[in-house]
Amino acid sequence: MDENLTNLPEMAKWFFDANKDKLAKENALILFDEGKIPDMSINTAKAYCARCKIGTHKCSVQTRYGWCCDLCVEEELLALRLCGVHTMGSCCGHGDQRLA
């Protein structure tokens, strides 16, 4: 588990661990189905997101929970939501950490 998530409540940790890989695969599948990436690999999806320009929303996906976010930050946003923190307009910075 990511060291930044060590303070999650136990139930949130269990849920997060149980769904982490599934979330990444679902997001890669969404981008593949939309014709944005040539294969369904998680690495291809993350590389695509890093190349997208900010403001284009090209790597934004609608999650299974009904909210949209950049695919590479869904795990962290889900962890925050499980702790009662709701976010809006979350962006990964697309390869530029200064913009995240």
Side-chain angles (χ1 to χ4, degrees):
M1 176 177 275
D2 187 315
E3 64 188 45
N4 297 324
L5 303 176
T6 55
N7 294 326
L8 283 175
E10 285 304 311
M11 183 57 98
K13 285 182 189 177
W14 172 84
F15 182 84
F16 184 79
D17 286 342
N19 289 287
K20 186 175 180 178
D21 290 336
K22 187 183 287 187
L23 296 173
K25 289 176 186 173
E26 286 177 359
N27 291 337
L29 178 60
I30 290 168
L31 292 179
F32 176 76
D33 284 346
E34 292 177 351
K36 294 179 178 178
I37 58 175
D39 61 69
M40 294 181 285
S41 84
I42 296 166
N43 289 336
T44 300
K46 287 183 177 181
Y48 172 79
C49 189
R51 290 190 310 270
C52 290
K53 294 192 186 280
I54 291 189
T56 63
H57 305 285
K58 289 184 178 181
C59 77
S60 179
V61 294
Q62 183 170 353
T63 69
R64 67 163 68 188
Y65 308 103
W67 41 278
C68 295
C69 66
D70 289 349
L71 67 96
C72 53
V73 294
E74 181 182 8
E75 295 169 11
E76 290 81 5
L77 295 178
L78 179 58
L80 287 170
R81 283 177 175 244
L82 289 169
C83 292
V85 178
H86 294 270
T87 61
M88 291 176 55
S90 300
C91 177
C92 67
H94 305 276
D96 189 341
Q97 198 169 27
R98 297 171 298 141
L99 301 174

